[in-house]
Amino acid sequence: MESCEARRQAREVLAQVFGYHSFRPPQEEIIEHLIAGGSALVLMPTGGGKSLCYQIPALVRPGMGLVISPLIALMQDQVNALRANGVRAAFLNSTLSAAEARRVWAALYAGQIDILYVSPERALMEGFQQVLQEVPLSLIAIDEAHCISQWGHDFRPEYVQLAQLRQLCPQTPLVALTATADVATRQDIIRYLELEEARHFITSFDRPNIRYYVQAQSASQTEIRRRFISFVHERHPQDAGIIYCLSRKDVEKTCQWLRDLGFNAWPYHAGLSAEERAANQERFLQEEAVLMVATVAFGMGVDKPNVRFVAHFNLPSSLEAYYQETGRAGRDGLPSSAWLSYSLSDIALRQNFIEQSEAPEQQKRIERRKLRALLGFCETTTCRRQALLEYFGEEAPDHCQNCDNCLEPPRAVDGLTYAQKALSCVYRTGQMYGVGHLVDILRGAKTSKISEKHHDELSTYAIGRDLSASQWHSIFRQLTAAGYLRVDLAGYGGLKLTKRSREILTGAAAVSLRLESEAPKERKKRMGASVGIREGDSEWPADQVSQLLALLRQKRMQLAREAHLPPYLVLHDATLLALAQGRPHSLEEVAQISGFGAVKLRQYGPIMLKVIRDFEEGTLLAPS
Ligand code: ADP
Ligand code: ZN
């Protein structure tokens, strides 16, 4: 096909079927390449828009598009989304009854399926491979292609055998897609699927719509919880979010706490029965202002596009894991948040875990390096996004203006003297006391433990009165994170010096410390309210836009219930927002809004117009 003809057809499908008006930068190039019959490796972050990259060529090229996907829940979701746009999509996996599967087979042979999703097991069955000889294919897409690599966590042995498909259909373009970044995985995909000659499309891993917040827990846990709640109230009052906790017990406790505060929160962890987990996940997909409190077992294959925030109440396991987990926020591109809080004991646990493991020294070195990178991100006083992207080998500008450090630059001070005071206090007390007692000594407190041990006679007694207790706690945490101290968990949490401590005691190290101010300012305007509604984005006042948006959401919920679909498969949040901001009055105007393809325009356009009209006539009252 001529390339300009291919481009025209791709754009037409984009607008007519999906209702979008422009491609995101790499999509169009990938799509043209596939339409022209080329193969490709596509690396794009979560939410980047990988699906369209194979769906559109599958619709433009003659024949049926075959998509291999390892996640059954996701398959169903994708098929529902395509059907909602009028595409003849189906799936084949172990969840179908024999009768349902027969129906799919019949449609398949009758040439009535545009896009077929199958599990890798199914794709490898002999009967299925027979089909491939008889039914012409437009392309083969291998989604979550990182499952082919033993490097990652999601290794699937069947994936390695998918190379067979290449041999069976050598003329069919093949596209492998993944959001996993590292080089080793990438090389495995290329090798196993013989993509050496194919084009490689590698997109930036930046998620510009995600705002990063990191809070060290030098304050009490109660204080951290208070901050979390005010973050949710300020930025995400009516939104869906995921809250990650370390253990089942933490999940249960946190979930109960949120329920007591009136949130619609549900737990998810390996201790629940499969039915409970499935029911809670379903609820999370179907409802709007719903919180999922979960261990990291939750999230794979959940592609609810309007998860507005992901919170971690502990250190994540690595920076890669953090990136994947927070990447579940804001797939739809609207403003979203990643919120993290961690404590000194998180750091201590992790460090001890590495040191006490039986792993070979080489493995430990890797683990230490990974932990250092993670703590570096957590403790940095400069742009978080820059720290994150640098870890993935990407260059980034100095300031993103969309992370806590860029929006409210922390006070970083030359901390050598403080560090020396802290370390000599550890040294002079015999490297056996926890942070609480050490801070008491530095602050010159009068406790029974101090008088009992004669610690008021030490030269470090009361030399740190100029800082508050929580500032000292924070300094001890920062010094531990930077490797100048370690917490001896076997020795009841006493702090000990490390090899590196010398650098500080001799004054050879440069230490920059974040000095948290005593009373954190109320973060009002600057951190801004989210949900994407800002004064001036619409010709109507922001509160009217919110009211109309609430009504549109209500209507969408009703439509979703009637159709037994999750609300986001009816219309996306971004589409509702555009309706509320633009207030179209005719179907022609609605058609201009991103997210209204021909089918949805017919089906939902008039209904949404009516909501807008009623709102303007004031016959409907906005829900409070
Ligand atoms: P990925 O699979 O890369 O995580 P998806 O394919 O699920 O991402 O796309 C993420 C979201 O972005 C979806 O809600 C999708 O409808 C939307 N999207 C993708 N491409 C476009 C586009 N060109 N214009 C508008 N929205 C898009
Ligand atoms: Zn930044």
Side-chain angles (χ1 to χ4, degrees), residues 14 18-24 27 44-55 74 78 143-144 179 303 305 330-333 572 594-595:
L14 181 74
F18 296 95
Y20 297 142
H21 302 293
S22 57
F23 282 110
R24 293 181 183 158
Q27 284 175 331
M44 219 188 253
T46 307
K50 283 183 285 302
S51 322
L52 287 187
C53 295
Y54 58 82
Q55 288 167 347
L74 209 120
Q78 294 261 15
D143 206 3
E144 314 288 348
D303 75 344
R331 275 167 167 265
D332 56 9
H572 278 178
S594 181

Side-chain angles (χ1 to χ4, degrees), residues 438-481:
L438 294 165
V439 171
D440 282 346
I441 298 175
L442 287 165
R443 301 245 317 129
K446 296 192 175 25
T447 67
S448 51
K449 192 166 174 182
I450 286 182
S451 44
E452 213 173 282
K453 310 270 179 199
H454 302 289
H455 284 164
D456 43 3
E457 293 160 23
L458 295 173
S459 59
T460 50
Y461 184 72
I463 57 170
R465 280 206 163 118
D466 52 329
L467 298 186
S468 71
S470 81
Q471 285 173 322
W472 275 117
H473 273 273
S474 157
I475 288 175
F476 276 106
R477 188 203 67 248
Q478 294 177 63
L479 292 171
T480 309

Side-chain angles (χ1 to χ4, degrees), residues 383-386 398-403 405-406:
C383 179
R384 307 259 184 221
R385 190 177 312 277
Q386 190 185 35
D398 287 347
H399 300 284
C400 72
Q401 295 311 340
N402 199 23
C403 74
N405 284 349
C406 281

Side-chain angles (χ1 to χ4, degrees), residues 16 84-86 587 590 596-607:
Q16 282 300 310
N85 281 322
L587 278 181
V590 177
F596 278 102
V599 171
K600 289 189 180 175
L601 184 65
R602 219 170 31 241
Q603 213 169 358
Y604 306 126
I607 300 174

Side-chain angles (χ1 to χ4, degrees), residues 411-585:
R411 209 175 123 213
V413 297
D414 173 1
L416 184 60
T417 318
Y418 293 126
Q420 286 174 334
K421 287 180 181 175
L423 262 52
S424 45
C425 192
V426 170
Y427 179 69
R428 287 183 198 287
T429 49
Q431 308 189 47
M432 57 201 285
Y433 294 98
V435 189
H437 184 61
L438 294 165
V439 171
D440 282 346
I441 298 175
L442 287 165
R443 301 245 317 129
K446 296 192 175 25
T447 67
S448 51
K449 192 166 174 182
I450 286 182
S451 44
E452 213 173 282
K453 310 270 179 199
H454 302 289
H455 284 164
D456 43 3
E457 293 160 23
L458 295 173
S459 59
T460 50
Y461 184 72
I463 57 170
R465 280 206 163 118
D466 52 329
L467 298 186
S468 71
S470 81
Q471 285 173 322
W472 275 117
H473 273 273
S474 157
I475 288 175
F476 276 106
R477 188 203 67 248
Q478 294 177 63
L479 292 171
T480 309
Y484 295 118
L485 283 173
R486 77 186 169 79
V487 181
D488 181 11
L489 286 186
Y492 305 102
L495 284 179
K496 289 198 173 339
L497 301 183
T498 68
K499 273 192 235 132
R500 298 191 57 200
S501 306
R502 254 187 83 78
E503 297 168 28
I504 288 191
L505 294 169
T506 59
V511 200
S512 165
L513 289 176
R514 167 194 289 259
L515 213 51
E516 276 135 41
S517 62
E518 242 326 67
K521 301 181 286 291
E522 277 310 311
R523 308 184 159 185
K524 272 275 145 54
K525 280 284 167 290
R526 260 172 89 202
M527 296 298 252
S530 99
V531 214
I533 300 179
R534 280 181 316 216
E535 210 63 67
D537 280 356
S538 161
E539 59 182 287
W540 287 281
D543 64 324
Q544 279 200 25
V545 174
S546 317
Q547 279 171 23
L548 178 53
L549 183 64
L551 292 168
L552 292 165
R553 279 183 158 189
Q554 208 174 47
K555 179 53 84 182
R556 174 177 68 173
M557 195 55 168
Q558 185 196 337
L559 293 167
R561 290 227 172 89
E562 286 166 11
H564 303 288
L565 285 174
Y568 57 82
L569 289 186
V570 173
L571 291 170
H572 278 178
D573 281 11
T575 306
L576 292 194
L577 182 62
L579 283 171
Q581 286 178 330
R583 284 202 203 168
H585 292 101

